[in-house]
Amino acid sequence: MIPCISTTSIGYLYGTADERYNFSKDFFRKTHFPQILNRYYKNKLIESVTEKDLLQELEWNHTFGNRVYVIFGSTGSGKSELLCWIRDQWDQTNNPRPIVRISRNELNPQVLVKKCYESIGLELGDLIIDENKWNLLLSKPITIINQMVWSTMSELFDCDDEIVPAALLLRPVIEKNILEFTKQIRKGQIIKPLEIITKEEYELLLESTTITININYNKFRYSLLKKLDQFLFQGTDIKTIFKELSKKLVEKKIRPVLLIDDLVQSINLYASDLLDYFITLEEGNWDVVIGLTPGVEQSGDYNLELMNRIKTLDTIDDRVRKLWLSDESGSNFFSLDKVQAQNYLQNYLKALKEANGFSCSYECPHANSCESLLNNSQNQLEILPFNTSLINRIYDGIPNGKGALRYLILHSREFLQFLVKGDKKASAKVSNLLHREVFIDHEDKVIKLLAEMYANPNNDEYTLSQPLLNHFKFVSVDITVTVRNLEIYKSESVVENIPQKKSFVNAHIRDWIEGKKVKEELLEPVRSGVATLIQEIVKGTSVVKGNTSRSIKSSATIQRSEVINRYKYPITFSENSPTQIVIDKHINLLQIANFQQVKMQDRGDRFAAISNDENMAHWIYQSEMLKKQWITELEEYLGYPIADFAYYLKNLLIKIHAIGESEWTSTLVNPIKNEWLEIAEELFLDWFALRDNIIDVNHLESMGDNGDFNQNFLENKPSKTLNKFQIRNYPLANFLVELQKEVKEFVDQLEPLIIMKAAEIQKLIRYSRYFTKEMAEKVKQMNVLIQKENRTMDDISDISISINWLSSEENRQVIAQIENEQSYLNNIHKFLQFVDGNVEIENLEKYLMDQLKMRSQVRKHVIKLMKKGETQLPRKQWKGILREMEEVNPDFFEHISVNVQIRK
C-alpha cells in the first residue's frame, strides 16, 4: 500500500512495554508516551503528577525508612510502561543506587529474592536459593502438595482420626488450584495467579460436610504458605528474608528501588506479607513502586481483601502515596485522551517507517503517490495510511475497561495488516474494532467500511480514491459516497472535569440496518421513537371526531390504552403484517431512535429531516387504518356509534343528576359526581364541537330520541374488552360499571319515595276542583306515570319534573288551599264520628243545623275550631257552648287539639 510499512514491520507494534524494550531500547524511547498520574484525597483530585515528578522523587536519596508508591491503573493503562521507563531512565543516567524490577511474568519468589541480592551486590551467604525447587514444584506438584497438606494437618490436629478426613476433604481443592497454575506456567500465559485455597472454597467445603474442622481459614492458609516457604527457602520465609536483607542495607547505607508491575498478579501468595513489611516504614530502607489493577476480578477473596485494605485502610493511606493512571472502571485514562491519540500513534508509525529506512516528508519520492491514497490528507504524511478520522475511531472503539495505551496499538496493528495486505476477508474483523460515528450506505461492505474508516464526519460526502480501490482489487475510478453523521446520537458526560468517552448507543441499530443479526430487544429505541412520532402526527389512540380543533389537542376524553409489547401501537419488525405497523430497515431509523427523548424545541428540526421518507408515510397510513379499526371495535362493544353514545350518555347523566338535586330526593345521595358530568360534557364536545364554543347544530338536530339507550345502559353489563380504552384516567369498562351500579342503587332508593308521592297525588285528585287546567293535566299525567309498572328513566325524570313543578311558587297557593281543606275535613271526621264521609264542606253548617239541631252561636264556634283549630268564646256564654259541644260528641276534646280563649 505504501513502501515504508511492510507486513514484517507491522509486527513491531508490540502490545507491552517490555516487548518493545527487549526489541530495542531506542525503539522503546521513541515510542514511549509520557505518563500522567492523578492523586486524590477523599475522592477529590488534589494534583496531577507527571512521570518525571515521580522519577525525581525516587532519585532523591531519602535518609531513613521505606517509601511506598502504589500505582493504580486498569489493564493496559500504562503501569508497565511507566515502570519500564523509570528503569530505563535509571540506567541512562547511571544512577548508582540499585534498582530491581519484577514483571508480572516473574512468578518465582526465589527469583525475586535472588534479583534483590544480586542488584544490590550482596552475597546470599547462608541463604540457600535453589531454583530447582521451583522447577520441582512445577514438575512434581502432587508430591509437594502431599508434603504441604499432611505436615500442615499434623501440626493443626492431635490425632490421625482428625487428620485423615480433613486432609481427604481439603487436599483435592489445593491440588486443583496448584495444578491449574502449573498448566498456565507451561503454556506461558498466566491468566489466574497462584492461590493455594480461597476463603470461598474453604467455607463451601465446610458447609458440604459433617466433619468437624475447627480451623480458622487465615491460620490454615498461613500454615500451608509457610510450608511452601520452607520447601522453597530451606526452612525460612520470604518476610524474614527481606527483614534480614534490610538490616544489611542499613549497615551498608544502600537504598535500592524496587519496581513491582503488579503485586497481586505476580507474587500474590506473598503480596500481603511484602506489603505489611514495606508499609512498616521504619523496618526497611527501600523505595518501592507497586502496580495494582483495580476494578477487575482478582484471584480469590484473600487478594480481594488485600486490595480493599490498600484502597481504604487509613493506616495504609498514611504510609503509602497512591497515584492513579486511570479511574477504577477503566473508562478514563489520565495519560492519553482522544486529542493526544494522534501524537501517540504518530510516534509509532514514524518509528516503524524509520526502521524501514524511510522518513515521511515531501522530499520522499513516494510522498505524492502515498498522499493520493487518501483524499484531504494534506500535512498528514507521517500518519499515513491512517488519517485523523480513523485514529479517532480506533480510539473510541476501545472497550471500557481496556487500557487506551495498549489497545490503541493492538487495534492499530490489525488495521495496518488489513490495509497493507488489502485483504477483503479481514474487513469483518476490523469493522468490530471501529467506532463508526458516520454511516455510509453502499452495497459493497468493503467500500462501505473504507469510507466509514476515513470519511470526515463534518462533510456530506467522501470520495474513495482510485489507487485505494485498486489496492483492494476494485476495478473502478473514484467513488463518492454520502456521509451521514451519527454524532447527534452520542452523549457526553463530565466527571470531575474529566471528559468521558462518548458512546454511540445505537450501534446495534446500525448493525441491523446493515443486515446483521441483532436481538430484537436491542431495537427498542426504534420502536419507542416510531411510537412517539406516530402519536404526535396521527394521535391514533385519541378517539375523537377528526378535522376539528379538539382532534389536534394532545388528549381526547376516550383514549385507547391497551399496551402491546410496551407501547400503545402494535409495532413490529416482521414483514407483511396488516394489523401492525411494520418497520423496514432504513438509515433514518437512527434519527428516529429515542425520538421521545429529544427536547421539544429540537423535535421540529429532527422531524423535518425524516418527514419526506417513504417509510414515514407508510407508518402514518398504517396508523390511520389502525385508528379506524380501533374506533369500529369500540363502537361494536358499546353498541352505538361513539357520537350517539356521547350524546345519550350526557343526557342521561344530566337527567339523573337533576333528579338527585330535587327537593323531594333530598334524603338521598346524588349518584352522579360532578366529575362524571364534566367527563360526559368533554366527550360530547369531542364529537359535536366544530371549534371552541361552536357546536355542530346540524348533527345535533339529526339526533333522534335516545330510544332504548337508557334501558340498555342499566341492564347490559359492559364488556371487559372496553378496558382497552380509558375515559379520562379510568378504564372505560370499569367506569361504566361503577356508573351503572350507582344509578341502579339510586333508582331502587327512589321507589319508596315515588310510592309516597303516589299517595299524595291520590289525595290531591279528590280536590281537583281547585286545579287550573294545566295543573289538572299535569297531575293526571303524573298519576299515569306513577301507576306504571315498568317505569323507564325518562318516566322517573318526568315524574321528578312534575313533582318539582307542583312545588313551584305558582302552585303553592292552590296546594295550601287543598291542605287546609284536608285538615278541616280531618277535624270534622274526628269531631263527628258518625258524619258521612261524603259531606261537603259547603254543606257542613246546614248539616249541623238540620241534622244535629245545633244553635247558631254554637255552630259558629264549632266551624272555627274545625277550620282554624281555635276560637274565642263569649265571657258569659262559654260554659253553655262547651256543654252543647260535649253533648253532641263527648269525645270531641280527646280527638282534636283546640285553643279556646274567653273574651274579656
Side-chain angles (χ1 to χ4, degrees):
M1 187 177 190
I2 56 177
C4 51
I5 295 181
S6 63
T7 54
T8 302
S9 61
I10 292 173
Y12 301 156
L13 284 172
Y14 296 110
T16 67
D18 289 303
E19 287 177 316
R20 291 178 9 252
Y21 190 80
N22 294 332
F23 168 71
S24 165
K25 294 180 181 179
D26 185 58
F27 184 77
F28 171 79
R29 291 162 190 160
K30 286 181 179 180
T31 56
H32 172 71
F33 194 81
Q35 301 290 282
I36 297 174
L37 307 97
N38 283 350
R39 186 177 171 212
Y40 296 92
Y41 180 72
K42 293 183 177 179
N43 296 322
K44 291 185 179 179
L45 177 65
I46 57 174
E47 68 171 327
S48 290
V49 179
T50 66
E51 59 184 23
K52 290 184 178 180
D53 295 333
L54 178 59
L55 179 62
Q56 287 174 359
E57 285 193 37
L58 294 173
E59 288 174 336
W60 174 51
N61 196 356
H62 192 60
T63 55
F64 175 75
N66 295 331
R67 287 189 302 178
V68 182
Y69 301 83
V70 174
I71 310 298
F72 291 97
S74 62
T75 304
S77 60
K79 297 189 297 296
S80 297
E81 179 81 20
L82 174 64
L83 300 188
C84 188
W85 178 82
I86 290 175
R87 172 63 188 270
D88 182 58
Q89 291 297 306
W90 209 267
D91 292 342
Q92 277 192 296
T93 57
N94 296 316
N95 194 310
R97 288 171 56 201
I99 188 168
V100 181
R101 177 162 173 252
I102 305 299
S103 72
R104 60 172 43 86
N105 293 322
E106 294 177 304
L107 305 173
N108 187 342
Q110 293 178 318
V111 174
L112 168 64
V113 174
K114 190 174 181 180
K115 286 182 73 172
C116 288
Y117 270 85
E118 289 176 350
S119 63
I120 296 167
L122 297 176
E123 297 293 332
L124 292 173
D126 295 335
L127 181 63
I128 300 174
I129 298 294
D130 184 359
E131 295 184 33
N132 290 327
K133 292 280 188 176
W134 181 258
N135 294 329
L136 186 62
L137 175 65
L138 299 180
S139 60
K140 297 181 179 180
I142 295 177
T143 302
I144 308 304
I145 292 166
N146 285 333
Q147 293 177 8
M148 290 169 54
V149 172
W150 291 108
S151 61
T152 297
M153 292 299 180
S154 66
E155 290 180 0
L156 298 177
F157 292 97
D158 297 330
C159 62
D160 286 347
D161 290 341
E162 295 176 341
I163 291 173
V164 173
L168 293 176
L169 177 69
L170 298 170
R171 185 192 163 283
V173 176
I174 298 169
E175 180 181 319
K176 174 182 70 70
N177 289 339
I178 295 180
L179 287 178
E180 282 183 359
F181 178 72
T182 58
K183 288 178 183 178
Q184 294 180 85
I185 295 290
R186 285 193 289 271
K187 289 181 180 179
Q189 184 178 12
I190 308 302
I191 300 173
K192 183 180 178 182
L194 174 61
E195 177 55 82
I196 297 175
I197 185 169
T198 68
K199 188 174 182 179
E200 183 181 5
E201 289 171 334
Y202 185 76
E203 291 177 347
L204 188 61
L205 286 173
L206 296 187
E207 289 175 3
S208 63
T209 183
T210 57
I211 300 173
T212 302
I213 304 177
N214 296 318
I215 307 174
N216 178 269
Y217 164 73
N218 290 328
K219 182 179 180 180
F220 179 61
R221 182 183 183 275
Y222 175 76
S223 181
L224 287 170
L225 183 58
K226 190 175 179 181
K227 294 296 180 292
L228 181 61
D229 273 354
Q230 291 171 354
F231 168 73
L232 293 174
F233 298 110
Q234 304 297 321
T236 185
D237 60 83
I238 198 167
K239 192 173 182 180
T240 302
I241 291 172
F242 266 89
K243 285 184 178 181
E244 292 297 325
L245 179 57
S246 293
K247 290 179 182 179
K248 296 180 181 180
L249 295 177
V250 173
E251 290 173 3
K252 295 180 177 295
K253 297 182 180 180
I254 299 173
R255 185 176 185 84
V257 176
L258 179 60
L259 309 176
I260 302 176
D261 278 19
D262 196 310
L263 180 67
V264 172
Q265 189 71 20
S266 55
I267 51 175
N268 71 303
L269 283 179
Y270 304 98
S272 182
D273 289 338
L274 287 176
L275 180 67
D276 288 339
Y277 166 70
F278 286 127
I279 65 174
T280 307
L281 303 182
E282 62 277 5
E283 286 194 358
N285 198 34
W286 297 81
D287 284 331
V288 185
V289 183
I290 299 172
L292 280 176
T293 304
V296 297
E297 184 180 353
Q298 300 295 334
S299 57
D301 294 332
Y302 193 83
N303 289 326
L304 186 60
E305 290 175 8
L306 175 64
M307 293 287 292
N308 289 332
R309 280 182 58 207
I310 295 171
K311 287 193 288 185
T312 61
L313 200 61
D314 290 339
T315 55
I316 291 182
D317 279 342
D318 295 339
R319 297 165 178 263
V320 172
R321 190 171 186 192
K322 299 177 182 178
L323 301 171
W324 294 76
L325 281 167
S326 73
D327 64 5
E328 191 161 343
S329 67
S331 298
N332 299 303
F333 299 90
F334 311 132
S335 297
L336 184 70
D337 59 24
K338 193 157 101 173
V339 176
Q340 299 166 322
Q342 180 170 327
N343 291 333
Y344 175 57
L345 199 54
Q346 183 174 315
N347 289 339
Y348 272 86
L349 293 172
K350 183 179 178 182
L352 283 180
K353 294 173 183 179
E354 288 178 353
N356 285 335
F358 291 88
S359 178
C360 275
S361 70
Y362 283 100
E363 295 178 359
C364 175
H366 303 286
N368 291 331
S369 62
C370 289
E371 194 174 51
S372 67
L373 284 170
L374 303 181
N375 288 292
N376 302 319
S377 60
Q378 291 85 354
N379 302 320
Q380 291 187 322
L381 283 175
E382 289 187 336
I383 62 173
L384 287 175
F386 292 167
N387 67 357
T388 301
S389 297
L390 177 54
I391 293 173
N392 288 340
R393 287 164 192 151
I394 295 174
Y395 179 88
D396 285 336
I398 298 171
N400 279 349
K402 300 296 184 181
L405 284 166
R406 179 182 302 171
Y407 282 87
L408 183 61
I409 298 302
L410 294 178
H411 290 184
S412 296
R413 184 168 66 189
E414 297 292 342
F415 277 96
L416 278 177
Q417 289 176 342
F418 166 68
L419 291 170
V420 170
K421 292 180 180 179
D423 184 7
K424 294 182 180 181
K425 294 180 180 179
S427 61
K429 178 181 178 181
V430 297
S431 176
N432 294 326
L433 306 178
L434 194 69
H435 178 82
R436 293 177 290 157
E437 86 281 14
V438 296
F439 181 88
I440 306 298
D441 192 5
H442 198 278
E443 62 275 7
D444 191 286
K445 292 184 178 180
V446 177
I447 292 176
K448 170 183 172 62
L449 173 62
L450 290 171
E452 289 179 346
M453 286 167 53
Y454 290 120
N456 187 329
N458 298 319
N459 296 338
D460 295 331
E461 293 181 341
Y462 181 73
T463 300
L464 292 165
S465 68
Q466 182 177 356
L468 178 64
L469 294 170
N470 292 342
H471 177 69
F472 279 89
K473 308 298 187 296
F474 289 105
V475 181
S476 174
V477 295
D478 293 357
I479 295 178
T480 300
V481 294
T482 300
V483 179
R484 295 178 183 265
N485 188 352
L486 308 180
E487 191 75 22
I488 57 175
Y489 306 109
K490 293 182 180 179
S491 58
E492 184 172 18
S493 59
V494 175
V495 178
E496 293 183 353
N497 299 320
I498 302 168
Q500 302 275 4
K501 188 186 296 183
K502 292 182 178 181
S503 60
F504 176 43
V505 296
N506 291 334
H508 39 271
I509 300 173
R510 178 196 57 213
D511 294 342
W512 178 70
I513 294 169
E514 293 172 348
K516 297 177 183 177
K517 189 174 182 180
V518 175
K519 288 183 179 180
E520 193 166 303
E521 293 82 359
L522 298 176
L523 304 177
E524 280 303 298
V526 174
R527 295 180 68 245
S528 63
V530 171
T532 303
L533 275 169
I534 290 171
Q535 181 62 15
E536 290 198 1
I537 300 169
V538 180
K539 293 183 174 58
T541 60
S542 293
V543 181
V544 65
K545 184 177 182 179
N547 303 318
T548 66
S549 59
R550 298 181 70 83
S551 67
I552 63 174
K553 292 183 178 179
S554 60
S555 178
T557 307
I558 293 182
Q559 293 273 332
R560 182 176 174 85
S561 55
E562 182 185 24
V563 175
I564 304 168
N565 195 10
R566 295 183 60 194
Y567 302 101
K568 292 183 180 180
Y569 294 89
I571 300 172
T572 181
F573 298 99
S574 305
E575 298 180 358
N576 302 322
S577 181
T579 60
Q580 293 182 307
I581 297 168
V582 181
I583 300 178
D584 294 324
K585 297 175 181 178
H586 194 281
I587 183 55
N588 267 355
L589 293 178
L590 290 171
Q591 293 176 295
I592 291 169
N594 287 324
F595 185 83
Q596 75 283 359
Q597 296 179 4
V598 179
K599 295 179 180 178
M600 294 303 296
Q601 60 267 29
D602 299 331
R603 288 190 178 185
D605 294 338
R606 179 76 67 86
F607 178 72
I610 58 179
S611 58
N612 292 328
D613 284 354
E614 181 181 351
N615 55 354
M616 178 65 71
H618 186 56
W619 295 336
I620 293 172
Y621 171 77
Q622 289 177 313
S623 302
E624 292 285 3
M625 293 300 101
L626 278 174
K627 184 173 183 178
K628 291 180 180 179
Q629 176 184 324
W630 290 339
I631 290 178
T632 301
E633 179 185 359
L634 175 59
E635 291 180 336
E636 177 183 346
Y637 285 106
L638 287 174
Y640 294 89
I642 300 177
D644 293 9
F645 179 82
Y647 175 77
Y648 295 141
L649 180 66
K650 174 189 173 184
N651 288 347
L652 175 62
L653 297 193
I654 289 174
K655 285 180 179 179
I656 299 172
H657 186 266
I659 296 171
E661 292 295 303
S662 299
E663 185 178 350
W664 69 283
T665 62
S666 58
T667 58
L668 305 180
V669 177
N670 195 323
I672 306 302
K673 303 174 185 177
N674 290 330
E675 182 190 10
W676 294 353
L677 287 176
E678 293 172 6
I679 292 175
E681 178 65 21
E682 290 295 320
L683 180 60
F684 169 78
L685 293 176
D686 283 351
W687 293 90
F688 288 88
L690 297 176
R691 293 174 57 188
D692 291 343
N693 302 320
I694 298 179
I695 302 299
D696 189 348
V697 178
N698 291 332
H699 189 186
L700 202 60
E701 289 179 349
S702 68
M703 299 299 297
D705 188 87
N706 62 357
D708 298 328
F709 177 83
N710 295 346
Q711 198 69 17
N712 291 337
F713 178 80
L714 292 177
E715 293 179 357
N716 298 332
K717 184 178 180 181
S719 170
K720 289 185 178 180
T721 310
L722 287 172
N723 278 340
K724 291 181 179 180
F725 301 84
Q726 67 180 32
I727 185 165
R728 198 171 279 183
N729 295 320
Y730 303 100
L732 183 54
N734 295 353
F735 174 81
L736 296 178
V737 166
E738 183 180 359
L739 182 58
Q740 186 185 68
K741 174 177 171 290
E742 292 292 332
V743 173
K744 283 182 175 180
E745 289 179 358
F746 182 66
V747 171
D748 292 341
Q749 293 170 356
L750 284 178
E751 190 61 27
L753 297 181
I754 292 176
I755 293 173
M756 187 186 302
K757 288 296 177 183
E760 294 177 5
I761 293 298
Q762 293 302 318
K763 291 181 180 179
L764 286 177
I765 291 175
R766 295 178 57 186
Y767 303 98
S768 57
R769 61 183 178 276
Y770 293 104
F771 295 171
T772 63
K773 185 177 181 181
E774 182 183 6
M775 190 174 182
E777 186 63 29
K778 286 276 187 183
V779 171
K780 181 180 178 182
Q781 292 175 358
M782 187 163 55
N783 188 49
V784 172
L785 293 175
I786 288 175
Q787 301 302 323
K788 193 174 180 181
E789 290 187 4
N790 297 316
R791 287 186 293 271
T792 65
M793 188 56 64
D794 285 339
D795 294 337
I796 297 174
S797 177
D798 290 341
I799 290 172
S800 180
I801 292 171
S802 298
I803 292 173
N804 293 335
W805 182 81
L806 287 173
S807 302
S808 63
E809 189 68 34
E810 58 182 305
N811 297 316
R812 197 164 292 168
Q813 186 175 357
V814 175
I815 299 299
Q817 187 177 0
I818 293 173
E819 288 175 350
N820 287 337
E821 183 170 340
Q822 287 177 332
S823 177
Y824 185 22
L825 284 176
N826 188 44
N827 287 337
I828 291 174
H829 291 168
K830 289 179 180 179
F831 178 61
L832 304 172
Q833 294 182 354
F834 50 86
V835 171
D836 187 349
N838 293 322
V839 174
E840 299 291 340
I841 293 176
E842 292 82 357
N843 300 325
L844 179 60
E845 187 175 358
K846 186 174 184 300
Y847 181 82
L848 293 175
M849 180 180 66
D850 295 342
Q851 298 296 325
L852 301 181
K853 309 300 182 182
M854 194 175 287
R855 291 185 300 118
S856 172
Q857 187 71 1
V858 177
R859 292 198 307 270
K860 180 178 74 171
H861 290 291
V862 168
I863 290 174
K864 279 186 178 182
L865 286 172
M866 296 299 102
K867 288 183 176 181
K868 298 180 179 181
E870 64 180 16
T871 188
Q872 288 186 346
L873 299 179
R875 182 177 180 80
K876 295 180 179 181
Q877 301 176 6
W878 66 275
K879 291 182 181 179
I881 295 173
L882 290 177
R883 188 170 50 253
E884 269 190 59
M885 289 182 183
E886 190 174 10
E887 289 175 355
V888 172
N889 187 344
D891 298 327
F892 177 75
F893 295 108
E894 293 180 8
H895 289 291
I896 185 170
S897 298
V898 296
N899 181 16
V900 179
Q901 297 180 2
I902 308 300
R903 287 197 299 268
K904 295 180 181 179

